[in-house]
Amino acid sequence: MIARRSLLMFAGLFVLFTIIGLFLGAANISLLLVQSFAYALIALGLNIQWGYGGLFNFGIMGMLMLGGAAVTFISYPVNAQFWGSEGPLMLGKALMAFLAGFLLVWAARHADRIGIKGRWKTFVTIIAWIVAYIVYRSQIDPAAAYIETAGGGWVGGLGLHPVLGWLFGGVLAAGVAYVVGKICLGLRTDYLAIATIGISEIIRALLKNMDWLTRGTLTVSPISWPTPIPQDLQAQGVSISDSFIYARLGFLGLVIVILAVAFFLVQRAYGGPWGRMMRAIRD
């Protein structure tokens, strides 16, 4: 009964898209299909969290934002004005300050190995966090102000292929999700939802306000397509109307392949030890 209902729902969506395509044209319907399959990837992630594990996790929205920022950083054209300024050097100093602060906090967290325990360890850890924060902000704030004024407004991208941006976004989101998972380990139901929505808000605030790195809420166009664009097809003799259709069909085909691979891997994982673990969490 449930399978029949699902098939009817998908058939209804297909009919709706077909009707829309008759009024808007093939180019618009192909765009809608690309967006639909992209949202299907998001639905797979939600299904893993809520459907398999029964965990209401808002953190997936933060991971989605990280993926978008990663594609911007990897695939946006190179900002020559930034690389020709002192911005890279200043960011390098900020990165070194961040690493130094990280090592300082890590050493304070393991101060018990040299005999500092109890309240003294807590005191040393708090002081380490304060010092690390001050040192990092003393380097990153001037760098951000310089980039926004004299460094081209923002860092820009690396001008690489968008698929590399997608891969980098997945790796970045996975790394952050691992840290979040370690922090939220053991939380369930409302507690997990509250904790992860807080983390998503932190990520959103960072990406929105770090204009010098992520462009904030401003446009990041143009980002190159992972498949031939209409202008490339027109140069090969394809008509203007057909070029838009073929270009979007190529984009659609790539998205369908990625969705199929992701679905296959999720299904295989669900049938293995990982899937049994997720079902045990839900039960």
Side-chain angles (χ1 to χ4, degrees):
M1 183 67 182
I2 297 178
R4 182 181 300 175
R5 186 184 306 169
S6 299
L7 289 175
L8 288 175
M9 290 178 62
F10 282 112
L13 284 174
F14 179 79
V15 172
L16 178 62
F17 274 37
T18 303
I19 295 174
I20 294 174
L22 293 176
F23 286 97
L24 299 181
N28 286 281
I29 192 62
S30 60
L31 175 61
L32 287 174
L33 288 173
V34 169
Q35 294 174 345
S36 299
F37 279 99
Y39 282 117
L41 280 173
I42 302 175
L44 276 180
L46 290 171
N47 188 49
I48 292 172
Q49 301 288 331
W50 178 247
Y52 291 174
L55 302 173
F56 196 68
N57 180 10
F58 282 102
I60 192 171
M61 300 310 299
M63 304 305 112
L64 179 63
M65 288 183 279
L66 280 175
V71 174
T72 299
F73 178 74
I74 295 296
S75 305
Y76 192 83
V78 176
N79 184 0
Q81 186 176 353
F82 164 76
W83 292 103
S85 66
E86 296 183 7
L89 178 61
M90 299 179 72
L91 281 184
K93 293 179 179 179
L95 178 60
M96 294 301 295
F98 175 81
L99 294 176
F102 174 81
L103 292 176
L104 180 63
V105 173
W106 182 87
R109 291 279 296 172
H110 295 81
D112 55 318
R113 297 183 180 181
I114 58 175
I116 302 177
K117 299 180 180 180
R119 294 182 178 178
W120 281 108
K121 178 184 176 181
T122 303
F123 176 76
V124 170
T125 303
I126 294 175
I127 295 299
W129 273 106
I130 294 174
V131 172
Y133 178 79
I134 293 174
V135 171
Y136 173 67
R137 291 303 297 264
S138 67
Q139 298 297 321
I140 194 62
D141 287 347
Y146 176 83
I147 293 170
E148 290 178 354
T149 55
W154 73 305
V155 171
L158 300 179
L160 300 178
H161 198 277
V163 174
L164 295 178
W166 298 351
L167 294 175
F168 178 72
V171 173
L172 179 63
V176 175
Y178 174 80
V179 176
V180 172
K182 295 287 286 186
I183 296 173
C184 300
L185 188 65
L187 296 178
R188 294 196 64 184
T189 61
D190 295 344
Y191 302 102
L192 178 64
I194 293 170
T196 52
I197 196 173
I199 292 170
S200 289
E201 278 298 303
I202 292 172
I203 295 175
R204 183 196 64 82
L206 288 174
L207 296 180
K208 179 181 178 181
N209 294 303
M210 296 174 68
D211 293 351
W212 59 272
L213 179 62
T214 64
R215 195 64 171 170
T217 57
L218 301 177
T219 180
V220 291
S221 179
I223 292 181
S224 59
W225 282 32
T227 55
I229 61 176
Q231 289 78 1
D232 295 336
L233 297 176
Q234 292 170 21
Q236 299 175 6
V238 181
S239 65
I240 295 178
S241 58
D242 291 341
S243 65
F244 280 93
I245 298 175
Y246 294 154
R248 286 175 176 167
L249 285 177
F251 203 141
L252 176 61
L254 178 61
V255 174
I256 291 175
V257 169
I258 294 175
L259 176 63
V261 171
F263 183 81
F264 173 77
L265 294 176
V266 169
Q267 285 294 105
R268 289 295 301 269
Y270 185 71
W274 175 83
R276 291 194 293 271
M277 177 197 69
M278 295 297 290
R279 291 193 294 273
I281 293 174
R282 180 189 60 199
D283 296 337

